[in-house]
Amino acid sequence: DTEVTQTPKHLVMGMTNKKSLKCEQHMGHRAMYWYKQKAKKPPELMFVYSYEKLSINESVPSRFSPECPNSSLLNLHLHALQPEDSALYLCASSQDLVTNTGELFFGEGSRLTVL
Amino acid sequence: GDSVTQMEGPVTLSEEAFLTINCTYTATGYPSLFWYVQYPGEGLQLLLKATKADDKGSNKGFEATYRKETTSFHLEKGSVQVSDSAVYFCALTTKTSYDKVIFGPGTSLSVIP
């Protein structure tokens, strides 16, 4: 059982839609991450929140907008996506900065299809 | 920059066969090394880790030893099961990786009965 919960598990959206992905963890972790994963590839880092502040943005297009309402929740707002944005979006958390703790806890992911 | 190289596969083995997945790294300083596993339809989960040279990480019958002299962290298991079918990612962090985990390309393993 994963302790990082992501919703929805599957999402289909058109290029003009606005939707959000949600992530929740109750482990008291202080860092949360969004990754994008294409089939048979490693996860690619998108954003890192550390103590509820955005600490890393890996030059992600503005059609992806992260939000961290509190230390347990992480959202990814989606708007005007392109078909090439179709992927598995993974949320992860770590007890502290992963450089210090070394371990990421992943959710099961939200599989996004953009038509 | 820091990087991880691993055999990409796919690797197909019969049940009870011996498994080795090679992983080598390039990093400044002294990295911590990890193996993550991703089962079909799931997120990644940490399989094992080692934080200093000559450390051996182990879990669920899998082992890997941090070899600084060869900059390697090869994953081994003596007898694989069908349930081990998954994608395995070698990864590292360093004090200068700015809170990023550097993943290798992943190795897909299929175990057939």
Side-chain angles (χ1 to χ4, degrees):
Chain A
D1 288 342
T2 180
E3 297 185 70
V4 177
T5 303
Q6 291 188 242
T7 56
K9 292 195 184 306
H10 299 276
L11 178 63
V12 179
M13 59 187 290
M15 290 190 283
T16 58
N17 292 155
K18 285 184 183 180
K19 298 285 185 183
S20 296
L21 305 180
K22 297 184 185 301
C23 175
E24 190 168 6
Q25 58 88 12
H26 293 290
M27 296 179 282
H29 288 178
R30 305 303 296 176
M32 295 186 77
Y33 307 75
W34 279 116
Y35 283 87
K36 173 183 178 181
Q37 187 181 30
K38 291 281 202 179
K40 301 192 186 300
K41 296 292 184 185
E44 299 171 27
L45 183 63
M46 299 175 73
F47 302 104
V48 180
Y49 274 84
S50 176
Y51 297 92
E52 301 169 44
K53 290 195 165 86
L54 183 65
S55 61
I56 295 177
N57 176 342
E58 289 287 84
S59 302
V60 178
S62 60
R63 58 186 184 269
F64 295 91
S65 175
E67 179 195 20
C68 189
N70 59 57
S71 61
S72 299
L73 292 174
L74 187 64
N75 298 322
L76 186 63
H77 303 298
L78 315 171
H79 174 54
L81 296 191
Q82 304 297 310
E84 60 264 29
D85 297 322
S86 298
L88 182 68
Y89 288 84
L90 291 164
C91 175
S93 68
S94 64
Q95 187 176 6
D96 197 339
L97 299 179
V98 74
T99 304
N100 296 329
T101 66
E103 181 173 359
L104 288 171
F105 292 79
F106 283 87
E108 292 192 343
S110 294
R111 185 161 299 282
L112 173 67
T113 302
V114 182
L115 301 176
Chain B
D2 301 334
S3 66
V4 176
T5 302
Q6 61 181 110
M7 51 193 291
E8 293 198 30
V11 174
T12 302
L13 293 174
S14 297
E15 209 165 17
E16 299 183 1
F18 184 85
L19 169 70
T20 299
I21 300 178
N22 290 336
C23 170
T24 57
Y25 67 88
T26 301
T28 52
Y30 298 96
S32 294
L33 301 174
F34 309 87
W35 278 100
Y36 280 85
V37 60
Q38 186 173 28
Y39 298 104
E42 298 185 11
L44 282 73
Q45 57 184 273
L46 182 67
L47 181 60
L48 52 84
K49 69 178 182 181
T51 57
K52 60 183 188 296
D54 300 324
D55 270 1
K56 177 186 282 188
S58 61
N59 186 25
K60 299 183 182 180
F62 291 89
E63 292 184 340
T65 301
Y66 188 142
R67 299 286 186 203
K68 186 171 181 292
E69 63 278 11
T70 55
T71 62
S72 65
F73 193 54
H74 304 321
L75 182 69
E76 296 183 336
K77 187 176 186 184
S79 175
V80 293
Q81 305 301 311
V82 171
S83 57
D84 294 325
S85 298
V87 181
Y88 293 81
F89 294 96
C90 187
L92 65 83
T93 61
T94 70
K95 294 299 183 187
T96 57
S97 61
Y98 302 104
D99 203 29
K100 298 178 188 177
V101 177
I102 310 299
F103 288 98
T107 301
S108 176
L109 171 66
S110 291
V111 180
I112 54 177

